[in-house]
Amino acid sequence: MRSSSATYGAGSLQQLGYLILLFTATCVVYVVVVLGAIMRACRLSLFGLMRFLKAELLVALSTCSSEAVLPQLVRKLEMMGIGRPVVGIVIPSGFSFNLDGSAVYLTMASLFLAQALGIDLSWQQQLVMVGIMMLTSKGTAGIAGGAFIVLASTIAAVGHMPLAALALIVGIDRILNEGRVFINVLGNAVAAIVIGKWEKDFDVDRANAVLRAGAAELEQVDAEHDAAENRAVANQPQS
């Protein structure tokens, strides 16, 4: 950021601030409108799901890696009533192929760089960049800052703008990374719910009870249930 402001003036910081605000607003709109509509169709509360996954979302924000919360996210979704086969397939594959936040970041960052350099990209060039980024972005969820490497490789492959343009946004990549990781984790949790309903391997009533009660209360109930089952097994007469 110091290099950018020294080279292009303090006005460049203002433009970077606009990019952060616009990206944040886009993430908020995506979560509230798109994911919110999906959750309403599933008869669940989006904000209840966010409260239930609060710890996982905070860990993802602090590490900037979706893979850091994979085991805990799988356990929480099974606790909600989603079948283990569905969760076991959707979440690991979703972290490789369903990167909503990375898609938002890559498209906005590429257009920002083109506008900053005064390059007018045609619709064909934009579609080519989007297609390449959709292919090269797979599997980047477990790498902190992996989307930035994807953006660099895409710019180098397409050749519409110089690779040195990435110096303009490298200083704020960490801030943008937090937003895209948040959407990646939340989007895959919603995807697991949708696939669970689709496969009829999802208990909606249990999910609503979990989101209302919270994780702590449900863990206590499950622990008491497991203890009762263990006592019942121990008290069975030996054959």
Side-chain angles (χ1 to χ4, degrees):
M1 293 181 67
R2 181 172 63 247
S3 175
S4 299
S5 59
T7 304
Y8 302 101
S12 62
L13 298 180
Q14 182 180 6
Q15 301 304 319
L16 292 176
Y18 287 154
L19 176 61
I20 294 174
L21 291 177
L22 183 59
F23 178 76
T24 304
T26 304
C27 292
V28 171
V29 170
Y30 178 80
V31 170
V32 174
V33 176
V34 179
L35 298 184
I38 295 174
M39 290 294 288
R40 283 194 298 272
C42 296
R43 295 184 297 160
L44 295 172
S45 170
L46 175 64
F47 295 102
L49 178 64
M50 293 172 63
R51 286 192 300 269
F52 182 64
L53 300 177
K54 178 177 64 176
E56 289 71 29
L57 293 174
L58 290 176
V59 171
L61 287 174
S62 61
T63 60
C64 288
S65 174
S66 303
E67 300 289 347
V69 299
L70 178 59
Q72 188 71 3
L73 182 63
V74 169
R75 190 183 70 85
K76 284 285 190 70
L77 293 177
E78 290 179 358
M79 190 183 300
M80 281 183 59
I82 306 175
R84 179 170 296 181
V86 172
V87 177
I89 293 177
V90 173
I91 296 302
S93 60
F95 280 166
S96 294
F97 300 102
N98 186 35
L99 304 177
D100 305 344
S102 297
V104 174
Y105 164 79
L106 291 172
T107 52
M108 294 189 65
S110 59
L111 291 178
F112 173 82
L113 292 176
Q115 292 179 355
L117 298 176
I119 299 174
D120 186 15
L121 296 177
S122 64
W123 283 106
Q124 293 80 2
Q125 292 173 327
Q126 295 181 36
L127 291 176
V128 168
M129 290 189 65
V130 170
I132 294 177
M133 286 186 291
M134 289 177 63
L135 294 175
T136 56
S137 63
K138 306 311 177 187
T140 61
I143 307 171
F148 187 80
I149 306 302
V150 171
L151 181 61
S153 62
T154 303
I155 290 177
V158 176
H160 297 325
M161 62 186 74
L163 187 60
L166 290 173
L168 295 174
I169 63 172
V170 67
I172 61 171
D173 181 69
R174 173 76 183 197
I175 300 175
L176 302 180
N177 197 13
E178 294 177 354
R180 63 179 180 255
V181 168
F182 182 91
I183 296 182
N184 288 342
V185 174
L186 187 60
N188 281 296
V190 174
I193 294 174
V194 172
I195 299 300
K197 285 182 66 66
W198 188 1
E199 295 295 325
K200 296 180 175 57
D201 196 5
F202 178 50
D203 190 343
V204 178
D205 295 333
R206 178 179 173 84
N208 280 311
V210 169
L211 297 183
R212 286 194 300 265
E217 292 83 353
L218 186 66
E219 287 178 349
Q220 182 179 358
V221 172
D222 286 345
E224 294 175 354
H225 178 69
D226 292 340
E229 287 186 346
N230 292 333
R231 286 194 299 268
V233 171
N235 293 331
Q236 288 181 355
Q238 298 294 329
S239 58

